[in-house]
Amino acid sequence: MARSSSGIVAGLTAAAVAAVAFLAYQASASAPSPAQLAEPAVGKTPAAHASQPPKGPAKVKDVLAVPAQSGTGTRVVYSLAERRVWLVNGQGKATRTFKVAPSTVSPPPGTYAVGSRSGLITGSDGVQVEHVVRFVTFEGVPIGFSAAVDGSMPSPDPKSRTGGVRMLRADGDAMWSFATVGVKVVVVP
């Protein structure tokens, strides 16, 4: 005898309700009672000792915080150690910060100024770059910020002497708008 589809659905629903009820019973049977929760654990070492202060949340570094000793006024700040750039407005606040891929030749810490710019060129490593913002020549190598047209930020070949500090294209756009000729560039360790 053929069962109707509504009978099959009713049977499946009843089986599902029974399964959920069984699982709920199992969960409640394995949970500690309120009395067990109130009792101290006997023979167990406490997880924290009274002499140790509780650990607070880990401090998160504010990436918009401009490095100390980086000067005042409108400027580009480039941290060699952090491989990061900050675009700082006249009030000393970073309007943007981003990671960069350093060149093989790095300038010594100090204060420089944007000396020249190029819209689109081939970099010293043979890569097509845009929004080149040059600020110093060190050991005969012009050093500046740029973005690869293909969007890459590869590490430069350590055997070659390059001065291109690479960034993503969107960051290169922001640098290009911000760092006009004469704008201060502060390099910090």
mmCIF file of all heavy atoms in Angstrom, residues 132-188:
data_model
loop_
_atom_site.group_PDB
_atom_site.id
_atom_site.type_symbol
_atom_site.label_atom_id
_atom_site.label_comp_id
_atom_site.label_asym_id
_atom_site.label_seq_id
_atom_site.Cartn_x
_atom_site.Cartn_y
_atom_site.Cartn_z
ATOM 1 N N VAL A 132 56.456 58.446 -9.149
ATOM 2 C CA VAL A 132 57.779 58.434 -8.536
ATOM 3 C C VAL A 132 58.007 59.771 -7.828
ATOM 4 O O VAL A 132 57.867 60.835 -8.434
ATOM 5 C CB VAL A 132 58.876 58.194 -9.589
ATOM 6 C CG1 VAL A 132 60.255 58.181 -8.948
ATOM 7 C CG2 VAL A 132 58.613 56.901 -10.341
ATOM 8 N N VAL A 133 58.334 59.686 -6.545
ATOM 9 C CA VAL A 133 58.592 60.869 -5.723
ATOM 10 C C VAL A 133 60.001 60.718 -5.151
ATOM 11 O O VAL A 133 60.224 59.966 -4.218
ATOM 12 C CB VAL A 133 57.539 60.980 -4.589
ATOM 13 C CG1 VAL A 133 57.864 62.147 -3.663
ATOM 14 C CG2 VAL A 133 56.136 61.126 -5.165
ATOM 15 N N ARG A 134 60.975 61.445 -5.753
ATOM 16 C CA ARG A 134 62.379 61.326 -5.333
ATOM 17 C C ARG A 134 62.698 62.374 -4.274
ATOM 18 O O ARG A 134 62.279 63.525 -4.381
ATOM 19 C CB ARG A 134 63.304 61.521 -6.530
ATOM 20 C CG ARG A 134 63.221 60.407 -7.542
ATOM 21 C CD ARG A 134 64.144 60.704 -8.750
ATOM 22 N NE ARG A 134 63.594 60.085 -9.944
ATOM 23 C CZ ARG A 134 62.680 60.632 -10.744
ATOM 24 N NH1 ARG A 134 62.204 61.836 -10.503
ATOM 25 N NH2 ARG A 134 62.234 59.976 -11.798
ATOM 26 N N PHE A 135 63.494 61.959 -3.260
ATOM 27 C CA PHE A 135 63.804 62.901 -2.190
ATOM 28 C C PHE A 135 65.276 62.977 -1.812
ATOM 29 O O PHE A 135 65.675 63.875 -1.060
ATOM 30 C CB PHE A 135 62.950 62.617 -0.942
ATOM 31 C CG PHE A 135 63.129 61.251 -0.349
ATOM 32 C CD1 PHE A 135 64.037 61.029 0.671
ATOM 33 C CD2 PHE A 135 62.365 60.185 -0.807
ATOM 34 C CE1 PHE A 135 64.186 59.771 1.229
ATOM 35 C CE2 PHE A 135 62.507 58.924 -0.256
ATOM 36 C CZ PHE A 135 63.431 58.714 0.771
ATOM 37 N N VAL A 136 66.120 62.079 -2.302
ATOM 38 C CA VAL A 136 67.545 62.147 -1.979
ATOM 39 C C VAL A 136 68.323 61.252 -2.941
ATOM 40 O O VAL A 136 67.769 60.286 -3.486
ATOM 41 C CB VAL A 136 67.816 61.728 -0.508
ATOM 42 C CG1 VAL A 136 67.529 60.264 -0.276
ATOM 43 C CG2 VAL A 136 69.235 62.065 -0.060
ATOM 44 N N THR A 137 69.583 61.577 -3.140
ATOM 45 C CA THR A 137 70.509 60.683 -3.829
ATOM 46 C C THR A 137 71.549 60.296 -2.789
ATOM 47 O O THR A 137 72.157 61.175 -2.152
ATOM 48 C CB THR A 137 71.176 61.359 -5.035
ATOM 49 O OG1 THR A 137 70.152 61.681 -5.988
ATOM 50 C CG2 THR A 137 72.190 60.433 -5.696
ATOM 51 N N PHE A 138 71.719 59.000 -2.577
ATOM 52 C CA PHE A 138 72.659 58.514 -1.577
ATOM 53 C C PHE A 138 73.576 57.481 -2.220
ATOM 54 O O PHE A 138 73.094 56.557 -2.875
ATOM 55 C CB PHE A 138 71.892 57.902 -0.389
ATOM 56 C CG PHE A 138 72.760 57.389 0.713
ATOM 57 C CD1 PHE A 138 73.517 58.260 1.485
ATOM 58 C CD2 PHE A 138 72.835 56.038 0.971
ATOM 59 C CE1 PHE A 138 74.327 57.786 2.501
ATOM 60 C CE2 PHE A 138 73.637 55.551 1.988
ATOM 61 C CZ PHE A 138 74.389 56.426 2.755
ATOM 62 N N GLU A 139 74.867 57.665 -2.054
ATOM 63 C CA GLU A 139 75.869 56.777 -2.653
ATOM 64 C C GLU A 139 75.647 56.636 -4.160
ATOM 65 O O GLU A 139 75.761 55.554 -4.732
ATOM 66 C CB GLU A 139 75.872 55.417 -1.962
ATOM 67 C CG GLU A 139 76.285 55.472 -0.496
ATOM 68 C CD GLU A 139 76.256 54.119 0.195
ATOM 69 O OE1 GLU A 139 75.745 53.126 -0.380
ATOM 70 O OE2 GLU A 139 76.736 54.051 1.336
ATOM 71 N N GLY A 140 75.272 57.736 -4.791
ATOM 72 C CA GLY A 140 75.073 57.757 -6.235
ATOM 73 C C GLY A 140 73.756 57.164 -6.711
ATOM 74 O O GLY A 140 73.513 57.076 -7.916
ATOM 75 N N VAL A 141 72.883 56.758 -5.791
ATOM 76 C CA VAL A 141 71.606 56.127 -6.159
ATOM 77 C C VAL A 141 70.452 57.062 -5.796
ATOM 78 O O VAL A 141 70.292 57.427 -4.621
ATOM 79 C CB VAL A 141 71.430 54.767 -5.432
ATOM 80 C CG1 VAL A 141 70.084 54.140 -5.773
ATOM 81 C CG2 VAL A 141 72.567 53.823 -5.762
ATOM 82 N N PRO A 142 69.637 57.482 -6.783
ATOM 83 C CA PRO A 142 68.454 58.285 -6.456
ATOM 84 C C PRO A 142 67.446 57.425 -5.686
ATOM 85 O O PRO A 142 67.153 56.300 -6.085
ATOM 86 C CB PRO A 142 67.887 58.703 -7.807
ATOM 87 C CG PRO A 142 68.809 58.159 -8.847
ATOM 88 C CD PRO A 142 69.785 57.253 -8.204
ATOM 89 N N ILE A 143 66.932 57.980 -4.588
ATOM 90 C CA ILE A 143 65.990 57.236 -3.746
ATOM 91 C C ILE A 143 64.648 57.958 -3.749
ATOM 92 O O ILE A 143 64.583 59.182 -3.599
ATOM 93 C CB ILE A 143 66.525 57.099 -2.315
ATOM 94 C CG1 ILE A 143 67.841 56.320 -2.349
ATOM 95 C CG2 ILE A 143 65.508 56.398 -1.412
ATOM 96 C CD1 ILE A 143 68.553 56.221 -1.034
ATOM 97 N N GLY A 144 63.593 57.178 -3.938
ATOM 98 C CA GLY A 144 62.256 57.756 -3.946
ATOM 99 C C GLY A 144 61.189 56.687 -3.808
ATOM 100 O O GLY A 144 61.470 55.487 -3.830
ATOM 101 N N PHE A 145 59.987 57.160 -3.641
ATOM 102 C CA PHE A 145 58.822 56.291 -3.497
ATOM 103 C C PHE A 145 58.202 56.067 -4.869
ATOM 104 O O PHE A 145 58.175 56.972 -5.699
ATOM 105 C CB PHE A 145 57.795 56.937 -2.570
ATOM 106 C CG PHE A 145 58.340 57.280 -1.213
ATOM 107 C CD1 PHE A 145 58.586 58.594 -0.853
ATOM 108 C CD2 PHE A 145 58.614 56.280 -0.290
ATOM 109 C CE1 PHE A 145 59.080 58.926 0.388
ATOM 110 C CE2 PHE A 145 59.118 56.593 0.960
ATOM 111 C CZ PHE A 145 59.355 57.921 1.310
ATOM 112 N N SER A 146 57.668 54.867 -5.096
ATOM 113 C CA SER A 146 56.999 54.582 -6.366
ATOM 114 C C SER A 146 56.102 53.364 -6.210
ATOM 115 O O SER A 146 56.202 52.632 -5.233
ATOM 116 C CB SER A 146 58.022 54.328 -7.476
ATOM 117 O OG SER A 146 58.812 53.194 -7.169
ATOM 118 N N ALA A 147 55.246 53.170 -7.195
ATOM 119 C CA ALA A 147 54.356 52.012 -7.228
ATOM 120 C C ALA A 147 54.517 51.310 -8.570
ATOM 121 O O ALA A 147 54.536 51.964 -9.614
ATOM 122 C CB ALA A 147 52.903 52.442 -7.039
ATOM 123 N N ALA A 148 54.661 49.993 -8.534
ATOM 124 C CA ALA A 148 54.770 49.226 -9.778
ATOM 125 C C ALA A 148 53.422 49.241 -10.484
ATOM 126 O O ALA A 148 52.376 49.063 -9.855
ATOM 127 C CB ALA A 148 55.208 47.796 -9.484
ATOM 128 N N VAL A 149 53.441 49.462 -11.767
ATOM 129 C CA VAL A 149 52.210 49.522 -12.556
ATOM 130 C C VAL A 149 51.455 48.194 -12.483
ATOM 131 O O VAL A 149 50.224 48.167 -12.473
ATOM 132 C CB VAL A 149 52.523 49.916 -14.017
ATOM 133 C CG1 VAL A 149 51.290 49.826 -14.896
ATOM 134 C CG2 VAL A 149 53.107 51.320 -14.064
ATOM 135 N N ASP A 150 52.190 47.090 -12.374
ATOM 136 C CA ASP A 150 51.514 45.785 -12.295
ATOM 137 C C ASP A 150 50.981 45.484 -10.890
ATOM 138 O O ASP A 150 50.413 44.425 -10.647
ATOM 139 C CB ASP A 150 52.439 44.660 -12.768
ATOM 140 C CG ASP A 150 53.637 44.418 -11.854
ATOM 141 O OD1 ASP A 150 53.741 45.047 -10.774
ATOM 142 O OD2 ASP A 150 54.494 43.592 -12.230
ATOM 143 N N GLY A 151 51.162 46.414 -9.936
ATOM 144 C CA GLY A 151 50.624 46.240 -8.584
ATOM 145 C C GLY A 151 51.496 45.410 -7.655
ATOM 146 O O GLY A 151 51.146 45.219 -6.493
ATOM 147 N N SER A 152 52.635 44.922 -8.137
ATOM 148 C CA SER A 152 53.483 44.063 -7.299
ATOM 149 C C SER A 152 54.335 44.894 -6.347
ATOM 150 O O SER A 152 54.564 46.081 -6.557
ATOM 151 C CB SER A 152 54.388 43.207 -8.186
ATOM 152 O OG SER A 152 55.295 44.029 -8.890
ATOM 153 N N MET A 153 54.781 44.251 -5.275
ATOM 154 C CA MET A 153 55.723 44.858 -4.336
ATOM 155 C C MET A 153 56.818 43.841 -4.029
ATOM 156 O O MET A 153 57.014 43.440 -2.893
ATOM 157 C CB MET A 153 55.028 45.270 -3.042
ATOM 158 C CG MET A 153 54.338 46.590 -3.135
ATOM 159 S SD MET A 153 53.606 47.232 -1.610
ATOM 160 C CE MET A 153 54.589 46.649 -0.285
ATOM 161 N N PRO A 154 57.543 43.394 -5.060
ATOM 162 C CA PRO A 154 58.561 42.368 -4.817
ATOM 163 C C PRO A 154 59.754 42.933 -4.060
ATOM 164 O O PRO A 154 60.022 44.126 -4.102
ATOM 165 C CB PRO A 154 58.975 41.944 -6.225
ATOM 166 C CG PRO A 154 58.768 43.176 -7.043
ATOM 167 C CD PRO A 154 57.537 43.838 -6.441
ATOM 168 N N SER A 155 60.444 42.051 -3.354
ATOM 169 C CA SER A 155 61.694 42.459 -2.713
ATOM 170 C C SER A 155 62.725 42.639 -3.823
ATOM 171 O O SER A 155 62.812 41.824 -4.732
ATOM 172 C CB SER A 155 62.169 41.388 -1.745
ATOM 173 O OG SER A 155 61.253 41.250 -0.693
ATOM 174 N N PRO A 156 63.502 43.716 -3.731
ATOM 175 C CA PRO A 156 64.491 43.940 -4.785
ATOM 176 C C PRO A 156 65.617 42.913 -4.722
ATOM 177 O O PRO A 156 65.894 42.342 -3.676
ATOM 178 C CB PRO A 156 65.008 45.349 -4.491
ATOM 179 C CG PRO A 156 64.727 45.575 -3.049
ATOM 180 C CD PRO A 156 63.509 44.763 -2.725
ATOM 181 N N ASP A 157 66.261 42.715 -5.843
ATOM 182 C CA ASP A 157 67.402 41.807 -5.919
ATOM 183 C C ASP A 157 68.526 42.401 -5.073
ATOM 184 O O ASP A 157 68.998 43.507 -5.353
ATOM 185 C CB ASP A 157 67.845 41.667 -7.380
ATOM 186 C CG ASP A 157 69.049 40.765 -7.561
ATOM 187 O OD1 ASP A 157 69.601 40.265 -6.557
ATOM 188 O OD2 ASP A 157 69.447 40.556 -8.725
ATOM 189 N N PRO A 158 68.965 41.694 -4.023
ATOM 190 C CA PRO A 158 69.987 42.252 -3.138
ATOM 191 C C PRO A 158 71.325 42.513 -3.838
ATOM 192 O O PRO A 158 72.152 43.259 -3.327
ATOM 193 C CB PRO A 158 70.130 41.212 -2.036
ATOM 194 C CG PRO A 158 69.525 39.972 -2.550
ATOM 195 C CD PRO A 158 68.547 40.367 -3.616
ATOM 196 N N LYS A 159 71.532 41.931 -5.018
ATOM 197 C CA LYS A 159 72.782 42.140 -5.752
ATOM 198 C C LYS A 159 72.784 43.453 -6.530
ATOM 199 O O LYS A 159 73.826 43.905 -6.971
ATOM 200 C CB LYS A 159 73.014 40.976 -6.720
ATOM 201 C CG LYS A 159 73.210 39.646 -6.032
ATOM 202 C CD LYS A 159 73.329 38.535 -7.052
ATOM 203 C CE LYS A 159 73.059 37.199 -6.408
ATOM 204 N NZ LYS A 159 72.668 36.198 -7.369
ATOM 205 N N SER A 160 71.607 44.050 -6.726
ATOM 206 C CA SER A 160 71.539 45.297 -7.494
ATOM 207 C C SER A 160 71.376 46.490 -6.553
ATOM 208 O O SER A 160 70.883 46.358 -5.433
ATOM 209 C CB SER A 160 70.392 45.241 -8.501
ATOM 210 O OG SER A 160 69.172 45.125 -7.831
ATOM 211 N N ARG A 161 71.808 47.648 -7.005
ATOM 212 C CA ARG A 161 71.712 48.874 -6.208
ATOM 213 C C ARG A 161 70.515 49.678 -6.714
ATOM 214 O O ARG A 161 70.604 50.357 -7.732
ATOM 215 C CB ARG A 161 73.009 49.658 -6.303
ATOM 216 C CG ARG A 161 74.175 48.897 -5.671
ATOM 217 C CD ARG A 161 75.496 49.616 -5.779
ATOM 218 N NE ARG A 161 75.496 51.032 -5.448
ATOM 219 C CZ ARG A 161 75.506 51.534 -4.204
ATOM 220 N NH1 ARG A 161 75.528 50.720 -3.172
ATOM 221 N NH2 ARG A 161 75.520 52.830 -4.015
ATOM 222 N N THR A 162 69.413 49.568 -5.984
ATOM 223 C CA THR A 162 68.194 50.265 -6.391
ATOM 224 C C THR A 162 67.752 51.221 -5.293
ATOM 225 O O THR A 162 68.055 51.021 -4.120
ATOM 226 C CB THR A 162 67.052 49.268 -6.676
ATOM 227 O OG1 THR A 162 66.759 48.549 -5.480
ATOM 228 C CG2 THR A 162 67.421 48.300 -7.784
ATOM 229 N N GLY A 163 67.016 52.239 -5.678
ATOM 230 C CA GLY A 163 66.550 53.233 -4.719
ATOM 231 C C GLY A 163 65.045 53.370 -4.662
ATOM 232 O O GLY A 163 64.529 54.276 -4.025
ATOM 233 N N GLY A 164 64.336 52.464 -5.320
ATOM 234 C CA GLY A 164 62.874 52.551 -5.352
ATOM 235 C C GLY A 164 62.231 51.931 -4.125
ATOM 236 O O GLY A 164 62.297 50.739 -3.922
ATOM 237 N N VAL A 165 61.601 52.760 -3.289
ATOM 238 C CA VAL A 165 60.829 52.294 -2.138
ATOM 239 C C VAL A 165 59.426 52.056 -2.667
ATOM 240 O O VAL A 165 58.706 53.006 -2.989
ATOM 241 C CB VAL A 165 60.830 53.327 -0.990
ATOM 242 C CG1 VAL A 165 60.020 52.816 0.189
ATOM 243 C CG2 VAL A 165 62.255 53.666 -0.585
ATOM 244 N N ARG A 166 59.038 50.782 -2.783
ATOM 245 C CA ARG A 166 57.777 50.434 -3.464
ATOM 246 C C ARG A 166 56.592 50.382 -2.514
ATOM 247 O O ARG A 166 56.712 50.012 -1.356
ATOM 248 C CB ARG A 166 57.915 49.082 -4.157
ATOM 249 C CG ARG A 166 58.928 49.082 -5.278
ATOM 250 C CD ARG A 166 58.402 49.857 -6.498
ATOM 251 N NE ARG A 166 59.451 50.199 -7.430
ATOM 252 C CZ ARG A 166 59.996 49.371 -8.298
ATOM 253 N NH1 ARG A 166 59.605 48.122 -8.364
ATOM 254 N NH2 ARG A 166 60.941 49.787 -9.098
ATOM 255 N N MET A 167 55.458 50.721 -3.075
ATOM 256 C CA MET A 167 54.195 50.685 -2.355
ATOM 257 C C MET A 167 53.095 50.220 -3.303
ATOM 258 O O MET A 167 53.319 50.129 -4.508
ATOM 259 C CB MET A 167 53.873 52.071 -1.802
ATOM 260 C CG MET A 167 53.770 53.146 -2.864
ATOM 261 S SD MET A 167 53.876 54.824 -2.226
ATOM 262 C CE MET A 167 55.513 54.848 -1.575
ATOM 263 N N LEU A 168 51.937 49.911 -2.739
ATOM 264 C CA LEU A 168 50.793 49.527 -3.563
ATOM 265 C C LEU A 168 50.330 50.735 -4.380
ATOM 266 O O LEU A 168 50.582 51.888 -4.010
ATOM 267 C CB LEU A 168 49.653 49.016 -2.684
ATOM 268 C CG LEU A 168 49.955 47.747 -1.894
ATOM 269 C CD1 LEU A 168 48.803 47.404 -0.962
ATOM 270 C CD2 LEU A 168 50.249 46.586 -2.838
ATOM 271 N N ARG A 169 49.640 50.476 -5.467
ATOM 272 C CA ARG A 169 49.230 51.562 -6.372
ATOM 273 C C ARG A 169 48.334 52.592 -5.688
ATOM 274 O O ARG A 169 48.499 53.795 -5.899
ATOM 275 C CB ARG A 169 48.532 50.993 -7.608
ATOM 276 C CG ARG A 169 49.505 50.262 -8.515
ATOM 277 C CD ARG A 169 48.873 49.812 -9.789
ATOM 278 N NE ARG A 169 48.828 50.953 -10.723
ATOM 279 C CZ ARG A 169 48.238 50.894 -11.898
ATOM 280 N NH1 ARG A 169 47.639 49.795 -12.290
ATOM 281 N NH2 ARG A 169 48.254 51.949 -12.693
ATOM 282 N N ALA A 170 47.395 52.144 -4.855
ATOM 283 C CA ALA A 170 46.511 53.101 -4.163
ATOM 284 C C ALA A 170 47.321 53.999 -3.234
ATOM 285 O O ALA A 170 47.054 55.206 -3.129
ATOM 286 C CB ALA A 170 45.436 52.351 -3.373
ATOM 287 N N ASP A 171 48.335 53.427 -2.576
ATOM 288 C CA ASP A 171 49.204 54.227 -1.709
ATOM 289 C C ASP A 171 50.064 55.163 -2.552
ATOM 290 O O ASP A 171 50.331 56.299 -2.156
ATOM 291 C CB ASP A 171 50.076 53.310 -0.846
ATOM 292 C CG ASP A 171 49.244 52.445 0.086
ATOM 293 O OD1 ASP A 171 48.182 52.909 0.559
ATOM 294 O OD2 ASP A 171 49.644 51.290 0.338
ATOM 295 N N GLY A 172 50.489 54.695 -3.728
ATOM 296 C CA GLY A 172 51.246 55.547 -4.645
ATOM 297 C C GLY A 172 50.420 56.741 -5.105
ATOM 298 O O GLY A 172 50.941 57.853 -5.235
ATOM 299 N N ASP A 173 49.126 56.530 -5.342
ATOM 300 C CA ASP A 173 48.235 57.633 -5.716
ATOM 301 C C ASP A 173 48.186 58.675 -4.598
ATOM 302 O O ASP A 173 48.251 59.879 -4.843
ATOM 303 C CB ASP A 173 46.812 57.120 -5.988
ATOM 304 C CG ASP A 173 46.710 56.283 -7.247
ATOM 305 O OD1 ASP A 173 47.632 56.317 -8.085
ATOM 306 O OD2 ASP A 173 45.693 55.568 -7.390
ATOM 307 N N ALA A 174 48.048 58.186 -3.354
ATOM 308 C CA ALA A 174 47.983 59.099 -2.204
ATOM 309 C C ALA A 174 49.306 59.851 -2.044
ATOM 310 O O ALA A 174 49.314 61.058 -1.783
ATOM 311 C CB ALA A 174 47.650 58.318 -0.935
ATOM 312 N N MET A 175 50.425 59.155 -2.194
ATOM 313 C CA MET A 175 51.742 59.794 -2.090
ATOM 314 C C MET A 175 51.883 60.876 -3.160
ATOM 315 O O MET A 175 52.341 61.984 -2.890
ATOM 316 C CB MET A 175 52.845 58.743 -2.236
ATOM 317 C CG MET A 175 54.258 59.306 -2.241
ATOM 318 S SD MET A 175 54.795 59.993 -0.669
ATOM 319 C CE MET A 175 55.196 58.485 0.196
ATOM 320 N N TRP A 176 51.480 60.558 -4.377
ATOM 321 C CA TRP A 176 51.602 61.488 -5.496
ATOM 322 C C TRP A 176 50.824 62.772 -5.219
ATOM 323 O O TRP A 176 51.305 63.877 -5.489
ATOM 324 C CB TRP A 176 51.103 60.812 -6.767
ATOM 325 C CG TRP A 176 51.233 61.634 -8.005
ATOM 326 C CD1 TRP A 176 50.234 62.297 -8.661
ATOM 327 C CD2 TRP A 176 52.430 61.881 -8.755
ATOM 328 N NE1 TRP A 176 50.726 62.945 -9.765
ATOM 329 C CE2 TRP A 176 52.078 62.693 -9.851
ATOM 330 C CE3 TRP A 176 53.754 61.492 -8.608
ATOM 331 C CZ2 TRP A 176 53.003 63.127 -10.792
ATOM 332 C CZ3 TRP A 176 54.678 61.921 -9.549
ATOM 333 C CH2 TRP A 176 54.298 62.731 -10.619
ATOM 334 N N SER A 177 49.626 62.638 -4.682
ATOM 335 C CA SER A 177 48.797 63.812 -4.367
ATOM 336 C C SER A 177 49.383 64.622 -3.217
ATOM 337 O O SER A 177 49.281 65.841 -3.188
ATOM 338 C CB SER A 177 47.375 63.381 -3.994
ATOM 339 O OG SER A 177 46.753 62.766 -5.094
ATOM 340 N N PHE A 178 49.998 63.955 -2.267
ATOM 341 C CA PHE A 178 50.479 64.588 -1.037
ATOM 342 C C PHE A 178 51.872 65.198 -1.182
ATOM 343 O O PHE A 178 52.123 66.316 -0.738
ATOM 344 C CB PHE A 178 50.485 63.544 0.088
ATOM 345 C CG PHE A 178 50.827 64.088 1.438
ATOM 346 C CD1 PHE A 178 49.855 64.615 2.258
ATOM 347 C CD2 PHE A 178 52.138 64.068 1.898
ATOM 348 C CE1 PHE A 178 50.173 65.125 3.512
ATOM 349 C CE2 PHE A 178 52.472 64.563 3.152
ATOM 350 C CZ PHE A 178 51.482 65.103 3.958
ATOM 351 N N ALA A 179 52.802 64.450 -1.750
ATOM 352 C CA ALA A 179 54.222 64.815 -1.734
ATOM 353 C C ALA A 179 54.642 65.554 -2.996
ATOM 354 O O ALA A 179 55.275 64.995 -3.886
ATOM 355 C CB ALA A 179 55.076 63.572 -1.515
ATOM 356 N N THR A 180 54.304 66.819 -3.052
ATOM 357 C CA THR A 180 54.719 67.652 -4.178
ATOM 358 C C THR A 180 56.155 68.134 -3.944
ATOM 359 O O THR A 180 56.702 67.975 -2.848
ATOM 360 C CB THR A 180 53.764 68.850 -4.336
ATOM 361 O OG1 THR A 180 53.720 69.565 -3.102
ATOM 362 C CG2 THR A 180 52.352 68.378 -4.690
ATOM 363 N N VAL A 181 56.763 68.707 -4.955
ATOM 364 C CA VAL A 181 58.144 69.178 -4.847
ATOM 365 C C VAL A 181 58.253 70.158 -3.670
ATOM 366 O O VAL A 181 57.439 71.076 -3.532
ATOM 367 C CB VAL A 181 58.625 69.825 -6.163
ATOM 368 C CG1 VAL A 181 59.978 70.504 -5.981
ATOM 369 C CG2 VAL A 181 58.695 68.775 -7.262
ATOM 370 N N GLY A 182 59.249 69.928 -2.824
ATOM 371 C CA GLY A 182 59.492 70.777 -1.666
ATOM 372 C C GLY A 182 58.947 70.220 -0.360
ATOM 373 O O GLY A 182 59.343 70.671 0.715
ATOM 374 N N VAL A 183 58.014 69.262 -0.411
ATOM 375 C CA VAL A 183 57.470 68.694 0.822
ATOM 376 C C VAL A 183 58.574 67.934 1.556
ATOM 377 O O VAL A 183 59.381 67.232 0.946
ATOM 378 C CB VAL A 183 56.251 67.779 0.531
ATOM 379 C CG1 VAL A 183 55.857 66.954 1.741
ATOM 380 C CG2 VAL A 183 55.076 68.605 0.051
ATOM 381 N N LYS A 184 58.588 68.095 2.873
ATOM 382 C CA LYS A 184 59.599 67.482 3.719
ATOM 383 C C LYS A 184 59.401 65.968 3.778
ATOM 384 O O LYS A 184 58.288 65.477 3.880
ATOM 385 C CB LYS A 184 59.469 68.085 5.120
ATOM 386 C CG LYS A 184 60.581 67.785 6.058
ATOM 387 C CD LYS A 184 60.551 68.575 7.386
ATOM 388 C CE LYS A 184 59.277 69.212 7.775
ATOM 389 N NZ LYS A 184 59.313 69.849 9.104
ATOM 390 N N VAL A 185 60.518 65.228 3.746
ATOM 391 C CA VAL A 185 60.523 63.771 3.932
ATOM 392 C C VAL A 185 61.480 63.500 5.090
ATOM 393 O O VAL A 185 62.657 63.853 5.025
ATOM 394 C CB VAL A 185 61.002 63.014 2.666
ATOM 395 C CG1 VAL A 185 61.061 61.516 2.941
ATOM 396 C CG2 VAL A 185 60.086 63.315 1.493
ATOM 397 N N VAL A 186 60.955 62.893 6.159
ATOM 398 C CA VAL A 186 61.771 62.589 7.331
ATOM 399 C C VAL A 186 61.967 61.077 7.377
ATOM 400 O O VAL A 186 60.997 60.327 7.442
ATOM 401 C CB VAL A 186 61.111 63.095 8.630
ATOM 402 C CG1 VAL A 186 61.982 62.762 9.838
ATOM 403 C CG2 VAL A 186 60.845 64.590 8.540
ATOM 404 N N VAL A 187 63.224 60.647 7.365
ATOM 405 C CA VAL A 187 63.558 59.225 7.457
ATOM 406 C C VAL A 187 63.991 58.965 8.901
ATOM 407 O O VAL A 187 64.882 59.648 9.420
ATOM 408 C CB VAL A 187 64.678 58.848 6.482
ATOM 409 C CG1 VAL A 187 65.050 57.379 6.629
ATOM 410 C CG2 VAL A 187 64.258 59.155 5.044
ATOM 411 N N VAL A 188 63.315 58.013 9.546
ATOM 412 C CA VAL A 188 63.648 57.644 10.925
ATOM 413 C C VAL A 188 64.156 56.200 10.925
ATOM 414 O O VAL A 188 63.845 55.431 10.022
ATOM 415 C CB VAL A 188 62.443 57.815 11.871
ATOM 416 C CG1 VAL A 188 62.016 59.278 11.954
ATOM 417 C CG2 VAL A 188 61.271 56.944 11.461
#
